[in-house]
Amino acid sequence: MTIPRRTFVLRSTATAAGVALGGSSMLAAGSADVGQHAGPHTGQAAGQHASPADLVLRGATVYDGLGNTPVTADVAVTGGRITAIGPNLAAADNALDLNGLALAPGFIDIHSHTDTQLARDPRADSKVRQGVTTEVAGQDGSSVTGGEFGDVAGFLRWVDANGAAVNMASMIGAGTVRGAVIGNADRRATPAELQRMQQLIRDALAGGACGISTGLEYTPGAFADTAELEALASVLRGTGLPFASHMRNEDDRLVAAMEEVIGIGHRAGVPVQVSHLKAQGERNWWKTDVAFGIIEAARDAGIDAMFDVYPYVAYSTGLSNLFPITAREGGTDAFLRRLQDPATAPDIERAVRDKIAMLGDWDAVQLTAAGSQEYAWVAGQRLGALAQRRNTEPYALLLDIIIGDRSRTRMVGFGMSEENVERKLAHPHSMICSDGGAMTRGDGTPHPRNYGAFPRVLGHYVRERGIMPLETAIAKMTSIPARRLGFTDRGRIAVGAAADLVAFDPATVADRATFEDPHQFPVGIPHVIVNGTFVIRDGEHTGARPGRAVRPG
């Protein structure tokens, strides 16, 4: 199935007290990325209902998600959709006075790692309490495969059948596709294999996938050459959906990695989404300006290049990512054998020590979770300090953990510049993501972004640091990712749009999760509504599961 390209006009004709909510306004941080988006029922003025609404939210400061100046208005919801916006709307079966709280479209996490854990915990507390109403999974080249879900299409059908606290969308992972066809071997795809991979991607798109993702620092995705990636990306041509890439390198070879993915998008004729743009290691911080220049040059050349970013100076990944990709070929057993083989171990050790030098020192690595209970004690520990306490050389301890936990340990790496984080968040071609998933207290000591990414932007970076207007930040969380992924009825407050809404207090909204104590919910977000149903009301989870699959179109 070919998904038709759509032209979007981001506009709302609803009025409040005579003030237009929409119109042809520009984003304060750069209007080019807002694009044009014709919302449902465009041209209809908001007004009184012929019959009572299911819900009326009264006296809100309404941020429409399009970057426009907010206005005070009531918002009515019926049947899971916004049915009216205006002053003094008619009585409803259920009404809530927001007393001036900001009301925004529910946040769309364009780079999320929530997927199959919804079967274990459909409440998705750590994400929905941030105001996230739609999660976009299938990132970094890895998407749902096997088990009770089968594939991306099967997973989306499962969400529709079972519900969850949040809506779910998914890309198709190029690494998952390669693994299904070729396995974990470091070799080129044959023409027949390439055709099979392209067909798997077509099938995923027909089943509702919203783009292709790559994880070029991970196996087996790293074994795909540029020609293979271009052939896979070309399947997206004409859909308007993005080729999203966790690039081959985000530190010493960042510039070459960016040029590769931009070139793939250009030759394939598809939009490019650089995943969680960063320049790791102080010796690479200066490359942020070069990265911005590459994005701008691509756009000037007619390539639809954008990026997402999370609001932290540390990333999160598997501990095995400290090791070179060549050491990891062939799967876990082959990797662990190489670590202990005198013929290969010295070169691997040199590569790891160089990466640690790039990050700064061993304490730039914080262990977050282990795969086995035997190593659960590592969670929350800085690797250098832990080695010192155990009177062990850090690399020796690293090997003990990797081998003993069979390469299942996860880590946080502190490597980015705070100044650069601010600049990326405010950049006119960026949007906000968490790069995290729905977590519970039993999930080790994870990155705090799993609990605090979106409120951290609203509180720390917008209110305290003033890096961009609030309406701009909201657009980066709502209408811009919605347009990017072809979600035509989400990401804005407009008549006819899906009633995914978040009410928060701009004066108090804040993240509380820290690297030392990440399992803490944010403050200042009392209400979250998904498809017209309260999931968070007065700060408490209702247990409702109104979320469903979101597909392009």
Side-chain angles (χ1 to χ4, degrees), residues 464-484:
E464 297 174 6
R465 296 289 300 156
I467 67 169
M468 58 182 153
L470 180 55
E471 55 266 31
T472 300
I474 290 171
K476 288 172 176 282
M477 302 172 177
T478 57
S479 65
I480 298 177
R483 177 181 64 88
R484 193 66 164 166

Side-chain angles (χ1 to χ4, degrees), residues 306-475:
M306 297 181 72
F307 64 92
D308 46 65
V309 57
Y310 48 80
Y312 297 91
V313 297
Y315 62 93
S316 180
T317 189
L319 189 61
S320 62
N321 205 43
L322 291 176
F323 295 82
I325 193 67
T326 52
R328 292 178 268 148
E329 180 195 356
T332 300
D333 288 338
F335 172 41
L336 300 186
R337 282 196 301 270
R338 291 188 188 102
L339 294 181
Q340 301 170 84
D341 185 343
T344 53
D347 287 342
I348 294 172
E349 179 177 350
R350 277 191 291 272
V352 172
R353 290 187 183 280
D354 183 62
K355 187 152 191 173
I356 293 298
M358 181 270 295
L359 289 174
D361 58 35
W362 289 100
D363 277 337
V365 176
Q366 178 176 315
L367 307 170
T368 60
S372 67
Q373 279 300 114
E374 181 183 356
Y375 283 86
W377 53 270
V378 306
Q381 304 295 318
R382 297 289 184 119
L383 191 54
L386 181 60
Q388 186 174 26
R389 287 198 301 274
R390 296 174 69 87
N391 196 27
T392 304
E393 199 280 324
Y395 185 74
L397 177 60
L398 173 64
L399 287 184
D400 173 61
I401 295 169
I402 281 285
I403 294 169
D405 198 36
R406 293 193 54 78
S407 192
R408 292 175 294 177
T409 318
R410 294 196 57 80
M411 62 165 279
V412 161
F414 293 84
M416 286 87 84
S417 154
E418 178 63 35
E419 177 186 358
N420 283 342
V421 169
E422 291 190 356
R423 295 172 64 211
K424 286 179 285 186
L425 290 168
H427 193 279
H429 305 311
S430 73
M431 54 199 81
I432 310 301
C433 74
S434 75
D435 194 13
M439 295 281 177
T440 65
R441 287 194 173 273
D443 294 326
T445 308
H447 196 300
R449 66 194 184 187
N450 297 286
Y451 284 82
F454 290 85
R456 180 169 176 78
V457 172
L458 300 173
H460 178 66
Y461 287 104
V462 172
R463 183 181 64 243
E464 297 174 6
R465 296 289 300 156
I467 67 169
M468 58 182 153
L470 180 55
E471 55 266 31
T472 300
I474 290 171

